[in-house]
């Protein structure tokens, strides 16, 4: 069984300040983990993925995430927020093998103030 | 190559009518998924196809919902006797085996 919890439904930051979106997961196996972004009225776009290689994963648009097995966490960070980062962010966990269906978190809405 | 495409982009229908939503996955992707996203909500898994295996239909909310996929090609999600609560964006995604999913732009369904 697998599950994912996004700890904040909304995160509000000022432009130019750091971003932290929190995600905790539960999985019976070594999981693959993903972060997706969804801008208003758009489909989902992959930001980054962890698949048991380096624990610090760099993605697009300056985002990165660190896999911490001891804390079962995969938090998403960015040093400096841009207005264009305002969107919905989804953390996703998937077990090994092709037969596992990804489990999505409920999403975190990132609000960026000028 | 082209990404995942979905059609129509918008569909308005009357309560009780049937609708068909189409998804064209990325060529070569073995897996295809359908999700429903209600306004302001997260993604709700509906159905999963993987190669020639039997689909996982565990997320379909009622027997009014069905989906088909032709080989590793196009998929159609059908909703019969639509209800107002079916109003949502229906998202399709494809992947190669268990790799990352690529999403289409979605079909916005409005049931009047």
């Amino acid at each position: 069984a697998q599950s994912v919890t996004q700890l904040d439904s909304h995160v509000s930051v000022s432009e130019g300040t750091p971003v932290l979106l929190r995600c905790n997961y539960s999985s019976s196996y070594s999981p693959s983990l993903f972060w997706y972004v969804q801008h208003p009225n758009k489909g989902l776009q992959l930001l980054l993925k962890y698949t048991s290689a380096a624990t610090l994963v760099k993605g697009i648009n300056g985002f990165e995430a660190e896999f911490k097995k001891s804390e079962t966490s995969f938090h998403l960070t960015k040093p400096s927020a841009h207005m264009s980062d305002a969107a919905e962010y989804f953390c996703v966990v998937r077990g090994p093998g092709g037969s596992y269906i990804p489990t999505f978190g409920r999403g975190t809405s990132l609000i960026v103030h000028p | 190559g082209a990404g995942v495409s979905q059609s129509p982009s918008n569909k308005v229908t009357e309560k009780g009518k049937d609708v068909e939503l189409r998804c064209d996955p990325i060529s070569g992707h073995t897996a295809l998924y359908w999700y429903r996203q209600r306004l302001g909500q997260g993604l709700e898994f509906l159905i999963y196809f993987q190669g020639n295996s039997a689909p996982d239909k565990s997320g379909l909310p009622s027997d009014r919902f069905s989906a088909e996929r032709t080989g590793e090609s196009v998929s159609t999600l059908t909703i019969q006797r639509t209800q107002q609560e079916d109003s949502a964006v229906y998202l399709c995604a494809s992947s190669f085996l268990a790799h990352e999913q690529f999403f289409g732009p979605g079909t916005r369904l409005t049931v009047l």
Side-chain angles (χ1 to χ4, degrees):
Chain A
Q2 61 193 27
S3 66
V4 61
T5 302
Q6 292 184 241
L7 298 167
D8 307 292
S9 58
H10 295 84
V11 170
S12 183
V13 300
S14 297
E15 191 175 21
T17 64
V19 175
L20 170 63
L21 305 183
R22 298 182 294 165
C23 173
N24 284 96
Y25 71 91
S26 171
S27 176
S28 303
Y29 307 94
S30 296
S32 295
L33 293 155
F34 310 85
W35 276 98
Y36 285 84
V37 61
Q38 185 179 33
H39 287 94
N41 301 312
K42 301 287 187 183
L44 277 75
Q45 180 184 18
L46 180 69
L47 273 179
L48 50 78
K49 63 179 178 179
Y50 165 78
T51 55
S52 75
T55 56
L56 181 62
V57 181
K58 294 188 184 297
I60 61 171
N61 300 335
F63 284 94
E64 62 182 37
E66 186 171 7
F67 173 71
K68 292 187 176 181
K69 186 174 181 179
S70 60
E71 299 177 11
T72 60
S73 69
F74 190 58
H75 300 334
L76 181 70
T77 61
K78 183 173 180 177
S80 176
H82 291 192
M83 296 297 292
S84 60
D85 294 329
E88 192 80 13
Y89 291 80
F90 294 95
C91 182
V92 183
V93 64
R94 184 174 197 170
S99 62
Y100 287 88
I101 298 165
T103 300
F104 279 73
R106 290 183 170 270
T108 297
S109 178
L110 177 63
I111 302 161
V112 183
H113 299 286
Chain B
V4 177
S5 61
Q6 292 186 246
S7 60
S9 55
N10 282 282
K11 176 71 177 178
V12 180
T13 190
E14 294 179 348
K15 178 181 174 181
K17 301 280 190 182
D18 298 352
V19 295
E20 281 191 356
L21 312 181
R22 177 186 170 105
C23 173
D24 283 276
I26 293 172
S27 178
H29 277 193
T30 55
L32 187 146
Y33 316 74
W34 283 99
Y35 295 89
R36 178 169 70 180
Q37 186 176 31
R38 292 194 165 111
L39 186 64
Q41 303 294 313
L43 272 68
E44 179 184 358
F45 165 75
L46 296 177
I47 188 168
Y48 163 64
F49 297 89
Q50 174 63 277
N52 293 320
S53 302
D56 184 328
K57 304 179 181 180
S58 60
L60 294 178
S62 77
D63 59 7
R64 296 188 295 107
F65 288 72
S66 63
E68 294 183 348
R69 187 182 187 195
T70 308
E72 293 186 352
S73 183
V74 64
S75 175
T76 303
L77 176 69
T78 301
I79 309 173
Q80 296 178 308
R81 305 181 302 281
T82 52
Q83 304 294 312
Q84 288 183 331
E85 62 263 29
D86 299 334
S87 295
V89 175
Y90 290 82
L91 290 165
C92 174
S94 70
S95 70
F96 178 69
L97 298 177
H99 295 275
E100 67 268 26
Q101 297 169 296
F102 291 82
F103 282 81
T107 294
R108 182 176 300 278
L109 175 65
T110 303
V111 182
L112 301 176

